């Protein structure tokens, strides 16, 4: 086995994480090598804000003193990239801080231009461990090297968990990327139920419960039951119908639809459940989203809103700020050049209008299956175009919608990392996992949480989605406020960060 074979296998099995897999392979290969010669190799050596990929305190070969290691996957770079330049700056800062006597850059198949840049830019001197050296390390114990390759996913996960910096520090970097995308004016907002809930509308669970209550009321319409008894029946049936949300929605749609299979009565029931008991309240989150959509300096930086919600909350808030907007909820919808589009890709039920014949929602299992099967369904096309052409800010979503994930995966394969999307997700807290646990279990919580959050990040990164973590839902508008202060100076964009 040679390093070229390893790289070919990595690029075949998981091309989107080839750099991370290569680093995991090299880290374990170096650990194996230094164990064999009686030296201690420390991967992801961190001190303060600086981290080395690797560190050996007592020298290597003919070099005495501390040596730093930098692992680079540069197989396809013919010229030094911005990423490489940034790493060289970090390496110079680390040289001074750690008093390094030597740098070892591990990078097989490095282009001569990149090699010259590295050798000329780093102090102290640099030693390049390329294809030949890595093949020698593999041959020292090829059996163990093959075992490393077989376990790359597990090793990649361990590598990510071990090098993970403080999540709030990492969040600031992700927010900086989001500010950059917003400043360029190529952003779309993608909104889920959490946004509407912040203004008093029901979440998915409460909506289903209210529809269930309507279903029970219809079944026992001529029976002499009290409201409490009907509520108890509703709870009993919901508990008995222990299935997924969209399967439960299918159950309700079947029970409420007329024999002619027209959905008008069912949609009316959904609308009543959506608005009947709603007490609107001011939402700082909605206010910040609308502010991002405004054109403060003649340039609108948010191109559109995609919402999976049925309500007209965004339209009302935009119109209150004198923004001409257009709700688009079927294939016939279009908007004028001076209108701001709000795409309701699962359907639209404004609180002021009646239900039209032929109107439809994507709500039940059957509805989802129809959308999956129709590659040219208007909602699929709108989402794919938006994911391809814009950097999307996703709020109020759990990211569990299978069709959303499918479309993001298609987009990421076509764009090859061209776009960057961002999703706000709530972190699990230690308190949620430690209630009623023994002290031994509590000791494991920190590691479990790091693994859980790291796997979520890795999973979404494959869809070109970066996670912005928060502890409390009220944190989101504060974080959104940080990205919107943009001054246009000539052709350059200057960002004002209020962090």
């Amino acid at each position: 086995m040679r390093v070229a074979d390893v790289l070919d296998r990595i690029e075949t099995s998981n091309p989107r994480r080839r750099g991370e897999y290569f680093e995991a392979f090299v880290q374990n290969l170096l650990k194996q090598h230094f164990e064999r010669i009686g030296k201690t190799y420390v991967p992801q050596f961190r001190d303060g804000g600086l981290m080395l990929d690797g560190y050996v305190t007592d020298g290597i070969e003919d070099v005495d003193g501390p040596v730093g290691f930098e692992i680079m996957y540069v197989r396809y770079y013919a010229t030094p990239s911005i990423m490489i330049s940034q790493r060289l700056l970090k390496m110079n800062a680390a040289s001074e801080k750690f008093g390094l006597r030597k740098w070892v850059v591990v990078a097989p198949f490095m282009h001569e231009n990149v090699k010259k840049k590295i050798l000329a830019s780093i102090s102290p001197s640099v030693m390049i461990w390329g294809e030949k050296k890595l093949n020698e390390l593999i041959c020292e114990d090829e059996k163990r090297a093959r075992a490393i390759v077989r376990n790359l996913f597990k090793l990649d996960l361990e590598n990510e968990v071990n090098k993970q910096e403080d999540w709030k520090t990492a969040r600031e970097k992700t927010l900086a990327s989001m500010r950059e995308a917003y400043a360029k004016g190529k952003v779309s907002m993608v909104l889920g139920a959490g946004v509407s809930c912040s203004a008093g509308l029901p979440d998915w669970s409460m909506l289903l419960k209210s529809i269930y209550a309507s279903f029970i009321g219809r079944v026992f319409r001529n029976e002499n039951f009290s409201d409490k008894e009907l509520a108890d029946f509703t709870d009993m049936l919901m508990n008995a119908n222990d299935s997924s949300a969209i399967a439960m929605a299918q159950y309700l749609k079947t029970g409420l639809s007329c024999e002619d299979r027209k959905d008008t009565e069912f949609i009316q029931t959904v609308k009543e459940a959506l608005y009947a008991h709603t007490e609107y309240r001011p939402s700082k989150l909605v206010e910040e989203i609308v502010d991002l959509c405004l054109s403060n300096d003649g340039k609108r930086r948010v191109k559109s809103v995609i919402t999976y919600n049925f309500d007209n909350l965004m339209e009302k808030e935009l119109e209150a700020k004198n923004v001409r907007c257009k709700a688009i909820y079927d294939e016939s919808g279009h908007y004028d050049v001076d209108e701001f589009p709000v795409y309701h890709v699962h359907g639209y039920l404004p609180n002021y209008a009646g239900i039209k014949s032929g109107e439809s929602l994507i709500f039940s299992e059957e509805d989802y299956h129809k959308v999956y099967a129709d590659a040219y369904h208007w909602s699929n096309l709108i989402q794919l175009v938006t994911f391809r052409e814009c950097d999307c800010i996703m709020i109020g979503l759990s990211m569990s919608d299978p069709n959303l994930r499918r479309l993001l995966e298609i987009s990421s394969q076509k764009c090859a990392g061209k776009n960057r999307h961002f999703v706000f997700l709530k972190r699990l807290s230690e308190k949620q996992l430690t209630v009623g646990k023994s002290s031994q279990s509590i000791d494991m919580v920190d590691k479990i949480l790091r693994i859980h959050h790291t796997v979520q990040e890795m999973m979404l990164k494959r869809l070109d989605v970066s996670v912005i973590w928060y502890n409390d839902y009220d944190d989101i508008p504060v974080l959104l406020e940080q990205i919107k202060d943009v001054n246009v100076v000539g052709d350059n964009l200057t960002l004002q960060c209020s962090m």
Side-chain angles (χ1 to χ4, degrees):
M1 185 176 71
R2 295 292 181 262
V3 68
D5 303 323
V6 176
L7 292 180
D8 288 343
R9 178 164 177 173
I10 287 172
E11 289 171 2
T12 301
S13 63
N14 196 344
R16 301 190 66 80
R17 287 190 65 80
R18 60 193 181 199
E20 290 84 354
Y21 272 35
F22 174 68
E23 182 176 341
F25 172 73
V26 172
Q27 290 284 20
N28 284 272
L29 196 64
L30 292 175
K31 199 183 305 181
Q32 171 183 302
H33 167 70
F34 285 109
E35 280 177 5
R36 191 182 64 81
I37 63 175
K39 290 182 179 286
T40 301
Y41 173 76
V42 183
Q44 282 97 37
F45 180 78
R46 184 190 298 276
D47 187 355
L50 285 174
M51 186 180 76
L52 309 182
D53 285 346
Y55 184 68
V56 174
T57 58
D58 50 355
I60 61 169
E61 299 180 0
D62 59 346
V63 179
D64 296 324
V67 175
F69 284 76
E70 183 73 12
I71 302 168
M72 294 185 180
Y73 186 92
V74 291
R75 193 177 193 181
Y76 296 105
Y77 290 103
T79 57
S81 65
I82 293 174
M83 179 197 74
I84 291 173
S85 298
Q86 290 173 340
R87 291 175 77 169
L88 296 180
L89 289 173
K90 182 202 79 171
M91 290 167 69
N92 276 323
S95 296
E96 184 175 345
K97 182 176 180 64
F98 299 116
L100 299 180
R101 301 292 300 278
K102 196 84 169 180
W103 271 105
V104 174
V105 174
V106 184
F109 311 109
M110 181 185 290
H111 193 278
E112 197 62 33
N113 291 342
V114 178
K115 185 182 296 186
K116 287 178 181 177
K117 173 75 172 178
I118 291 172
L119 293 174
S121 303
I122 300 300
S123 178
S125 60
V126 177
M127 181 187 303
I128 305 289
W129 283 10
E131 179 187 10
K132 181 180 178 182
K133 181 65 177 181
L134 284 175
N135 284 335
E136 290 174 2
L137 297 181
I138 290 170
C139 290
E140 286 180 356
D141 192 336
E142 187 170 335
K143 184 177 180 181
R144 286 183 66 182
R146 289 183 181 277
I148 292 171
V149 174
R150 286 195 300 272
N151 291 284
L152 274 177
F153 174 78
K154 177 176 179 290
L155 297 172
D156 179 31
L157 175 58
E158 290 175 355
N159 201 37
E160 289 296 313
V161 170
N162 290 334
K163 74 178 181 182
Q164 196 175 49
E165 61 189 332
D166 173 71
W167 68 271
K168 289 186 178 180
T169 302
R171 182 176 70 184
E172 296 305 327
K173 295 177 182 177
T174 308
L175 284 170
S177 295
M178 189 163 71
R179 281 195 298 276
E180 181 185 347
Y182 179 71
K184 290 178 179 178
K186 53 171 297 189
V187 163
S188 281
M189 310 297 294
V190 180
L191 310 178
V195 174
S196 294
C197 291
S198 72
L201 286 152
D203 61 17
W204 185 258
S205 174
M206 290 302 298
L207 183 64
L208 285 176
K209 185 171 183 178
S210 183
I211 298 170
Y212 242 118
S214 297
F215 171 60
I216 294 297
R218 170 185 285 193
V219 171
F220 296 107
R221 183 176 296 163
N222 299 319
E223 304 289 341
N224 189 24
F225 290 113
S226 68
D227 290 344
K228 183 181 184 309
E229 287 173 317
L230 290 175
D232 289 341
F233 290 151
T234 298
D235 289 336
M236 288 168 54
L237 264 179
M238 284 194 73
N239 291 331
N241 192 6
D242 185 19
S243 56
S244 70
I246 59 173
M248 192 179 290
Q250 182 65 51
Y251 171 91
L252 291 169
K253 184 176 180 179
T254 302
L256 287 165
S257 294
C258 298
E259 290 183 3
D260 61 4
R261 297 187 61 79
K262 298 293 184 184
D263 293 340
T264 306
E265 190 168 349
F266 169 70
I267 293 174
Q268 182 61 40
T269 304
V270 174
K271 182 177 179 179
E272 290 170 359
L274 189 61
Y275 295 113
H277 305 293
T278 295
E279 294 183 7
Y280 287 104
R281 57 177 181 263
S283 167
K284 181 66 175 172
L285 174 59
V286 174
E287 180 183 327
E288 288 298 333
I289 291 171
V290 170
D291 281 351
L292 286 174
C293 297
L294 297 178
S295 176
N296 296 323
D297 53 14
K299 180 178 180 180
R300 181 169 287 154
R301 293 186 169 81
V302 176
K303 301 299 185 186
S304 64
V305 167
I306 288 178
T307 177
Y308 299 95
N309 303 327
F310 304 140
D311 59 76
N312 60 321
L313 177 64
M314 285 303 300
E315 286 82 358
K316 288 172 61 177
E317 296 297 326
L318 285 165
E319 288 166 0
K321 293 291 182 76
N322 298 315
V323 177
R324 286 195 67 201
C325 60
K326 181 66 176 288
I328 299 173
Y329 49 91
D330 60 29
E331 61 188 2
S332 66
H334 66 277
Y335 63 96
D336 293 332
V337 68
D338 62 339
E339 290 180 316
F340 183 83
V342 181
Y343 295 101
H344 289 263
V345 292
H346 283 180
Y348 186 45
L349 295 176
N351 61 351
Y352 58 80
I355 305 300
K356 299 176 184 177
S357 177
E359 203 154 7
S360 64
L361 301 176
I362 298 174
F363 186 78
S364 66
E365 190 174 46
E366 177 185 29
D367 302 324
Y368 274 86
H369 290 170
K370 286 179 180 177
V371 172
Y372 297 159
D374 185 358
Y376 297 101
H377 191 279
W378 79 271
S379 66
N380 287 335
L381 296 177
I382 287 294
Q383 290 174 83
L384 278 173
V385 169
T386 302
F387 296 153
R388 186 188 68 200
E389 296 183 353
C390 296
D391 297 329
C392 295
I393 300 175
M394 305 178 182
I395 306 171
L397 296 161
S398 66
M399 300 304 289
S400 60
D401 183 326
N403 195 45
L404 169 61
R405 296 168 67 88
R406 180 179 70 89
L407 294 173
L408 282 168
E409 184 169 7
I410 293 170
S411 173
S412 69
Q413 291 170 351
K414 299 292 184 184
C415 295
K418 174 185 172 184
N419 287 337
R420 299 170 299 180
H421 307 308
F422 309 91
V423 63
F424 287 83
L425 291 180
K426 192 175 189 302
R427 289 180 72 85
L428 279 177
S429 68
E430 290 186 11
K431 187 176 180 181
Q432 288 174 273
L433 297 183
T434 56
V435 175
K437 303 294 184 183
S438 66
S439 58
Q440 184 177 5
S441 297
I442 292 172
D443 290 340
M444 292 293 295
V445 165
D446 180 63
K447 184 173 182 180
I448 290 170
L449 286 175
R450 281 190 287 122
I451 291 172
H452 170 73
H453 293 131
T454 299
V455 170
Q456 277 193 298
E457 289 175 359
M458 292 169 65
M459 177 177 66
L460 290 170
K461 200 67 179 175
R462 296 183 68 169
L463 306 177
D464 285 339
V465 179
S466 297
V467 178
I468 299 174
W469 296 108
Y470 63 88
N471 280 326
D472 187 89
Y473 210 74
D474 291 337
D475 296 342
I476 302 178
V478 177
L479 296 170
L480 286 177
E481 191 173 11
Q482 296 178 8
I483 75 165
K484 68 184 180 186
D485 294 326
V486 180
N487 287 334
V488 180
V489 183
D491 293 329
N492 297 321
L493 292 170
T494 303
L495 304 183
Q496 293 180 329
C497 174
S498 58
M499 290 183 290

PDB file of all heavy atoms in Angstrom, residues 449-464:
ATOM      1  N   LEU A 449     -21.744  15.162  24.735  1.00  0.00           N
ATOM      2  CA  LEU A 449     -22.235  16.368  24.075  1.00  0.00           C
ATOM      3  C   LEU A 449     -21.303  16.799  22.953  1.00  0.00           C
ATOM      4  O   LEU A 449     -21.759  17.213  21.878  1.00  0.00           O
ATOM      5  CB  LEU A 449     -22.399  17.503  25.085  1.00  0.00           C
ATOM      6  CG  LEU A 449     -23.592  17.387  26.035  1.00  0.00           C
ATOM      7  CD1 LEU A 449     -23.567  18.510  27.062  1.00  0.00           C
ATOM      8  CD2 LEU A 449     -24.897  17.424  25.265  1.00  0.00           C
ATOM      9  N   ARG A 450     -19.987  16.726  23.181  1.00  0.00           N
ATOM     10  CA  ARG A 450     -19.034  17.114  22.133  1.00  0.00           C
ATOM     11  C   ARG A 450     -19.167  16.203  20.921  1.00  0.00           C
ATOM     12  O   ARG A 450     -19.131  16.667  19.775  1.00  0.00           O
ATOM     13  CB  ARG A 450     -17.606  17.099  22.684  1.00  0.00           C
ATOM     14  CG  ARG A 450     -17.270  18.330  23.507  1.00  0.00           C
ATOM     15  CD  ARG A 450     -15.800  18.433  23.841  1.00  0.00           C
ATOM     16  NE  ARG A 450     -15.408  17.467  24.856  1.00  0.00           N
ATOM     17  CZ  ARG A 450     -14.475  16.541  24.696  1.00  0.00           C
ATOM     18  NH1 ARG A 450     -13.846  16.432  23.532  1.00  0.00           N
ATOM     19  NH2 ARG A 450     -14.169  15.715  25.668  1.00  0.00           N
ATOM     20  N   ILE A 451     -19.325  14.899  21.177  1.00  0.00           N
ATOM     21  CA  ILE A 451     -19.499  13.955  20.063  1.00  0.00           C
ATOM     22  C   ILE A 451     -20.805  14.245  19.328  1.00  0.00           C
ATOM     23  O   ILE A 451     -20.836  14.310  18.089  1.00  0.00           O
ATOM     24  CB  ILE A 451     -19.478  12.501  20.581  1.00  0.00           C
ATOM     25  CG1 ILE A 451     -18.066  12.135  21.059  1.00  0.00           C
ATOM     26  CG2 ILE A 451     -19.938  11.540  19.491  1.00  0.00           C
ATOM     27  CD1 ILE A 451     -17.985  10.792  21.758  1.00  0.00           C
ATOM     28  N   HIS A 452     -21.888  14.443  20.091  1.00  0.00           N
ATOM     29  CA  HIS A 452     -23.196  14.704  19.475  1.00  0.00           C
ATOM     30  C   HIS A 452     -23.160  15.945  18.589  1.00  0.00           C
ATOM     31  O   HIS A 452     -23.591  15.913  17.427  1.00  0.00           O
ATOM     32  CB  HIS A 452     -24.245  14.884  20.577  1.00  0.00           C
ATOM     33  CG  HIS A 452     -25.565  15.398  20.082  1.00  0.00           C
ATOM     34  ND1 HIS A 452     -26.441  14.624  19.353  1.00  0.00           N
ATOM     35  CD2 HIS A 452     -26.151  16.628  20.197  1.00  0.00           C
ATOM     36  CE1 HIS A 452     -27.506  15.348  19.038  1.00  0.00           C
ATOM     37  NE2 HIS A 452     -27.359  16.561  19.540  1.00  0.00           N
ATOM     38  N   HIS A 453     -22.631  17.048  19.118  1.00  0.00           N
ATOM     39  CA  HIS A 453     -22.612  18.290  18.354  1.00  0.00           C
ATOM     40  C   HIS A 453     -21.637  18.202  17.174  1.00  0.00           C
ATOM     41  O   HIS A 453     -21.915  18.754  16.098  1.00  0.00           O
ATOM     42  CB  HIS A 453     -22.246  19.463  19.266  1.00  0.00           C
ATOM     43  CG  HIS A 453     -23.298  19.765  20.297  1.00  0.00           C
ATOM     44  ND1 HIS A 453     -23.018  19.929  21.628  1.00  0.00           N
ATOM     45  CD2 HIS A 453     -24.643  19.903  20.177  1.00  0.00           C
ATOM     46  CE1 HIS A 453     -24.136  20.177  22.290  1.00  0.00           C
ATOM     47  NE2 HIS A 453     -25.138  20.171  21.432  1.00  0.00           N
ATOM     48  N   THR A 454     -20.534  17.493  17.354  1.00  0.00           N
ATOM     49  CA  THR A 454     -19.569  17.341  16.265  1.00  0.00           C
ATOM     50  C   THR A 454     -20.162  16.534  15.116  1.00  0.00           C
ATOM     51  O   THR A 454     -19.996  16.885  13.939  1.00  0.00           O
ATOM     52  CB  THR A 454     -18.288  16.656  16.772  1.00  0.00           C
ATOM     53  OG1 THR A 454     -17.694  17.465  17.791  1.00  0.00           O
ATOM     54  CG2 THR A 454     -17.275  16.486  15.645  1.00  0.00           C
ATOM     55  N   VAL A 455     -20.870  15.447  15.436  1.00  0.00           N
ATOM     56  CA  VAL A 455     -21.491  14.624  14.383  1.00  0.00           C
ATOM     57  C   VAL A 455     -22.539  15.437  13.628  1.00  0.00           C
ATOM     58  O   VAL A 455     -22.633  15.354  12.392  1.00  0.00           O
ATOM     59  CB  VAL A 455     -22.110  13.353  14.986  1.00  0.00           C
ATOM     60  CG1 VAL A 455     -22.955  12.621  13.948  1.00  0.00           C
ATOM     61  CG2 VAL A 455     -21.013  12.422  15.507  1.00  0.00           C
ATOM     62  N   GLN A 456     -23.327  16.245  14.354  1.00  0.00           N
ATOM     63  CA  GLN A 456     -24.305  17.094  13.668  1.00  0.00           C
ATOM     64  C   GLN A 456     -23.613  18.055  12.704  1.00  0.00           C
ATOM     65  O   GLN A 456     -24.059  18.243  11.572  1.00  0.00           O
ATOM     66  CB  GLN A 456     -25.118  17.894  14.694  1.00  0.00           C
ATOM     67  CG  GLN A 456     -26.278  17.119  15.294  1.00  0.00           C
ATOM     68  CD  GLN A 456     -27.217  18.031  16.048  1.00  0.00           C
ATOM     69  OE1 GLN A 456     -26.840  18.671  17.024  1.00  0.00           O
ATOM     70  NE2 GLN A 456     -28.459  18.096  15.613  1.00  0.00           N
ATOM     71  N   GLU A 457     -22.522  18.664  13.161  1.00  0.00           N
ATOM     72  CA  GLU A 457     -21.784  19.590  12.296  1.00  0.00           C
ATOM     73  C   GLU A 457     -21.236  18.872  11.063  1.00  0.00           C
ATOM     74  O   GLU A 457     -21.324  19.389   9.941  1.00  0.00           O
ATOM     75  CB  GLU A 457     -20.644  20.233  13.080  1.00  0.00           C
ATOM     76  CG  GLU A 457     -21.105  21.230  14.129  1.00  0.00           C
ATOM     77  CD  GLU A 457     -19.952  21.756  14.959  1.00  0.00           C
ATOM     78  OE1 GLU A 457     -18.795  21.336  14.725  1.00  0.00           O
ATOM     79  OE2 GLU A 457     -20.199  22.584  15.862  1.00  0.00           O
ATOM     80  N   MET A 458     -20.651  17.691  11.259  1.00  0.00           N
ATOM     81  CA  MET A 458     -20.088  16.937  10.140  1.00  0.00           C
ATOM     82  C   MET A 458     -21.174  16.528   9.155  1.00  0.00           C
ATOM     83  O   MET A 458     -20.995  16.608   7.929  1.00  0.00           O
ATOM     84  CB  MET A 458     -19.362  15.695  10.676  1.00  0.00           C
ATOM     85  CG  MET A 458     -18.107  16.004  11.469  1.00  0.00           C
ATOM     86  SD  MET A 458     -17.453  14.549  12.354  1.00  0.00           S
ATOM     87  CE  MET A 458     -16.984  13.489  10.990  1.00  0.00           C
ATOM     88  N   MET A 459     -22.318  16.095   9.681  1.00  0.00           N
ATOM     89  CA  MET A 459     -23.422  15.643   8.840  1.00  0.00           C
ATOM     90  C   MET A 459     -23.935  16.787   7.965  1.00  0.00           C
ATOM     91  O   MET A 459     -24.157  16.623   6.761  1.00  0.00           O
ATOM     92  CB  MET A 459     -24.538  15.118   9.747  1.00  0.00           C
ATOM     93  CG  MET A 459     -25.790  14.670   9.053  1.00  0.00           C
ATOM     94  SD  MET A 459     -26.989  13.986  10.233  1.00  0.00           S
ATOM     95  CE  MET A 459     -27.387  15.462  11.186  1.00  0.00           C
ATOM     96  N   LEU A 460     -24.104  17.975   8.564  1.00  0.00           N
ATOM     97  CA  LEU A 460     -24.630  19.112   7.815  1.00  0.00           C
ATOM     98  C   LEU A 460     -23.579  19.732   6.906  1.00  0.00           C
ATOM     99  O   LEU A 460     -23.912  20.304   5.862  1.00  0.00           O
ATOM    100  CB  LEU A 460     -25.201  20.154   8.780  1.00  0.00           C
ATOM    101  CG  LEU A 460     -26.486  19.707   9.488  1.00  0.00           C
ATOM    102  CD1 LEU A 460     -26.868  20.673  10.597  1.00  0.00           C
ATOM    103  CD2 LEU A 460     -27.628  19.565   8.490  1.00  0.00           C
ATOM    104  N   LYS A 461     -22.314  19.625   7.295  1.00  0.00           N
ATOM    105  CA  LYS A 461     -21.246  20.170   6.451  1.00  0.00           C
ATOM    106  C   LYS A 461     -21.228  19.471   5.094  1.00  0.00           C
ATOM    107  O   LYS A 461     -20.880  20.079   4.072  1.00  0.00           O
ATOM    108  CB  LYS A 461     -19.891  20.008   7.150  1.00  0.00           C
ATOM    109  CG  LYS A 461     -18.813  20.937   6.621  1.00  0.00           C
ATOM    110  CD  LYS A 461     -19.143  22.384   6.944  1.00  0.00           C
ATOM    111  CE  LYS A 461     -18.081  23.326   6.451  1.00  0.00           C
ATOM    112  NZ  LYS A 461     -18.460  24.738   6.669  1.00  0.00           N
ATOM    113  N   ARG A 462     -21.621  18.217   5.063  1.00  0.00           N
ATOM    114  CA  ARG A 462     -21.680  17.490   3.797  1.00  0.00           C
ATOM    115  C   ARG A 462     -22.744  18.073   2.868  1.00  0.00           C
ATOM    116  O   ARG A 462     -22.726  17.837   1.664  1.00  0.00           O
ATOM    117  CB  ARG A 462     -21.977  16.007   4.049  1.00  0.00           C
ATOM    118  CG  ARG A 462     -20.882  15.288   4.816  1.00  0.00           C
ATOM    119  CD  ARG A 462     -21.162  13.819   4.978  1.00  0.00           C
ATOM    120  NE  ARG A 462     -21.098  13.109   3.709  1.00  0.00           N
ATOM    121  CZ  ARG A 462     -21.099  11.787   3.594  1.00  0.00           C
ATOM    122  NH1 ARG A 462     -21.144  11.038   4.685  1.00  0.00           N
ATOM    123  NH2 ARG A 462     -21.047  11.204   2.416  1.00  0.00           N
ATOM    124  N   LEU A 463     -23.673  18.854   3.448  1.00  0.00           N
ATOM    125  CA  LEU A 463     -24.712  19.510   2.655  1.00  0.00           C
ATOM    126  C   LEU A 463     -24.369  20.986   2.429  1.00  0.00           C
ATOM    127  O   LEU A 463     -25.230  21.767   2.006  1.00  0.00           O
ATOM    128  CB  LEU A 463     -26.066  19.404   3.365  1.00  0.00           C
ATOM    129  CG  LEU A 463     -26.524  17.991   3.756  1.00  0.00           C
ATOM    130  CD1 LEU A 463     -27.847  18.057   4.505  1.00  0.00           C
ATOM    131  CD2 LEU A 463     -26.649  17.104   2.515  1.00  0.00           C
ATOM    132  N   ASP A 464     -23.126  21.361   2.712  1.00  0.00           N
ATOM    133  CA  ASP A 464     -22.671  22.758   2.608  1.00  0.00           C
ATOM    134  C   ASP A 464     -23.379  23.665   3.608  1.00  0.00           C
ATOM    135  O   ASP A 464     -23.597  24.852   3.345  1.00  0.00           O
ATOM    136  CB  ASP A 464     -22.865  23.315   1.189  1.00  0.00           C
ATOM    137  CG  ASP A 464     -21.832  22.775   0.212  1.00  0.00           C
ATOM    138  OD1 ASP A 464     -20.781  22.316   0.679  1.00  0.00           O
ATOM    139  OD2 ASP A 464     -22.082  22.812  -1.001  1.00  0.00           O
TER     140      ASP A 464
END
